[in-house]
Amino acid sequence: GAGVSQSPSNKVTEKGKDVELRCDPISGHTALYWYRQRLGQGLEFLIYFQGNSAPDKSGLPSDRFSAERTGESVSTLTIQRTQQEDSAVYLCASSTTGTRNTGELFFGEGSRLTVL
Amino acid sequence: KNQVEQSPQSLIILEGKNCTLQCNYTVSPFSNLRWYKQDTGRGPVSLTIMTFSENTKSNGRYTATLDADTKQSSLHITASQLSDSASYICVVTPSGSARQLTFGSGTQLTVLP
């Protein structure tokens, strides 16, 4: 696709259920990021993938959160035993290089998660 | 802790007017500073990217400035349009850390007819 694609765009789930969010980065982009954005707040870093390097998971808020990436393509963010405080928009972004360089970061439209 | 503070938190202006948004940061040293526009319900879109050695960068009606000595950046919007209504986010990349961009909370701009 032409841009970063995320699915689902909206997800409503019950507390305690597991959810899986998907991100398709732009083809050829080696760097992929997941962020969380709570209502009216800034973006919180969750996890970063760069090529075949070990991912930087330092932003994951708890062990209920995990993410995987297959090579340099699709990534999935999994939240287990969801809690109400997990309600947020989860944004995925990709870049041709790490952002230490001026590689532009392209964002998806986000997955809005609501935990009832 | 590296911080990026933006002001004002929100701003309302009339169509056609100019405005300036501020970004103060403590991230040091840093690699680059970016401004993003985020429409409601959409992902952020890049407006400008400046390295630490650049003082200004323009993108149409948007002009970003950077003063690395005072650790301040501004985004000036000229001849505002209704479509400029959005959140504007300042993002700083620390040197040596390609991974953890530091995001400001954004300035919510509303342009009224």
Side-chain angles (χ1 to χ4, degrees), chain B residues 43 62 81 90 101:
Chain B
Y62 301 101
Q81 300 176 359
C90 176
L101 296 87

Side-chain angles (χ1 to χ4, degrees), chain A residues 1-6 23-32 69 72-75 92-96 104-108:
Chain A
V4 177
S5 178
Q6 291 189 244
C23 173
D24 275 288
I26 294 172
S27 178
H29 282 196
T30 58
L32 186 147
R69 188 182 186 192
E72 294 185 353
S73 60
V74 172
S75 176
C92 175
S94 70
S95 175
T96 54
E104 186 167 342
L105 205 61
F106 293 85
F107 284 87

Side-chain angles (χ1 to χ4, degrees), chain A residues 18-37:
Chain A
D18 297 351
V19 296
E20 190 173 278
L21 308 178
R22 176 187 170 104
C23 173
D24 275 288
I26 294 172
S27 178
H29 282 196
T30 58
L32 186 147
Y33 302 76
W34 282 98
Y35 294 94
R36 178 171 69 180
Q37 187 174 32

Side-chain angles (χ1 to χ4, degrees), chain A residues 33 35 37 40-43 45 48 53-56 58 91 98-105 107-109 112, chain B residues 31-32 34 36 38 41-46 49-51 89 93-101 103-105:
Chain A
Y33 302 76
Y35 294 94
Q37 187 174 32
Q41 298 189 21
L43 277 70
F45 168 78
Y48 165 77
S53 302
D56 180 345
S58 60
L91 288 162
T99 52
R100 181 165 53 197
N101 304 309
T102 53
E104 186 167 342
L105 205 61
F107 284 87
E109 299 294 342
R112 181 177 298 278
Chain B
S31 175
N32 57 69
R34 306 154 184 258
Y36 283 86
Q38 185 175 25
R42 308 294 295 274
V45 174
S46 179
I49 301 174
M50 292 182 289
T51 66
I89 304 170
T93 304
S95 290
S97 173
R99 303 164 177 213
Q100 292 204 26
L101 296 87
F103 286 77
S105 296

